[in-house]
Amino acid sequence: MAEQMNVESFNLDHTKVKAPYVRLVSVTEGGNGDTIRKYDIRFKQPNQDHMAMDALHSIEHLMAENIRNHLDNVIDIGPMGCQTGFYLSVLNNEDEKAIMAALEKTFEDVLEADEVPACNEVQCGWAANHSLEGAQELAREMLGQKDEWHIVF
C-alpha cells in the first residue's frame, strides 16, 4: 500500500472508482461549529477519459452560476486538474439529497442555456476557450446516469 498522503484524492485508488459519481470527500468542522462538506463530482473515468478543456471551462461557468440558484451556502465549485470532475464545497449543509437535487437542476439549467455566463474578456481569463455545446453534452451524460451517482466503486 502506498504511503498515506495529505491530499484525500491522492489516497483514493483511481483504478477502482466507477464514474460518473458524486462522493462526499470530507467534512471539516470549524472552531465556531460550522461544517464544510466537500464533494467529488466525477464526470469521467480516471485515466481512461477526460473532459475537453473548452467544455470543462464552460460547464464550470454554468455550474458556478446556476448551482447557487438551487443550493444555499455554496462555497465553491471548481475543476480537478485531471479534467475528470469537479469539487463542490458547501457550508453547513448535510442534506445529501438536497445536494443531488441541486446538481440535477443545475445540469438541467446547462441544457437550457443559450450562452455561457461571463464568457467575455472582462469577466473571464480565457474567454476564447468555451464550448456551450460541449458543456451541454457533459450535462446530458451526467443526467443520463444520475441513478448511478451514488455508486463510487
Side-chain angles (χ1 to χ4, degrees):
M1 181 156 167
E3 173 186 343
Q4 188 73 12
M5 305 289 289
N6 292 322
V7 178
E8 187 278 339
S9 68
F10 295 168
N11 296 308
L12 176 69
D13 187 339
H14 288 71
T15 66
K16 303 268 192 265
V17 298
K18 180 182 176 280
Y21 61 78
V22 179
R23 174 179 76 93
L24 178 64
V25 172
S26 64
V27 178
T28 304
E29 295 186 22
N32 295 319
D34 288 322
T35 59
I36 297 172
R37 284 179 169 69
K38 180 179 175 183
Y39 291 87
D40 169 348
I41 306 166
R42 195 68 61 143
F43 284 65
K44 299 291 183 176
Q45 185 64 35
N47 299 300
Q48 293 181 22
D49 199 2
H50 66 281
M51 292 179 273
M53 196 61 206
D54 57 353
L56 178 152
H57 191 189
S58 294
I59 203 165
E60 174 196 14
H61 278 230
L62 287 153
M63 288 170 56
E65 182 63 20
N66 288 304
I67 197 165
R68 289 166 168 88
N69 296 330
H70 308 297
L71 190 63
D72 292 330
N73 298 332
V74 172
I75 295 172
D76 190 34
I77 188 161
M80 298 174 181
C82 60
Q83 296 173 237
T84 62
F86 287 82
Y87 287 115
L88 168 66
S89 297
V90 296
L91 180 66
N92 297 328
N93 186 334
E94 59 189 57
D95 186 349
E96 289 195 25
K97 286 185 180 182
I99 301 292
M100 298 298 185
L103 286 169
E104 182 177 352
K105 290 175 185 172
T106 300
F107 293 137
E108 289 169 355
D109 291 341
V110 172
L111 294 179
E112 294 173 10
D114 55 12
E115 66 180 7
V116 176
C119 180
N120 60 71
E121 291 184 2
V122 172
Q123 296 174 292
C124 179
W126 194 8
N129 185 49
H130 282 280
S131 171
L132 175 59
E133 297 79 16
Q136 290 172 327
E137 180 57 31
L138 291 170
R140 253 189 300 283
E141 289 173 5
M142 286 297 285
L143 285 169
Q145 297 182 50
K146 70 180 178 184
D147 292 339
E148 299 171 22
W149 290 356
H150 66 284
I151 302 170
V152 178
F153 298 99

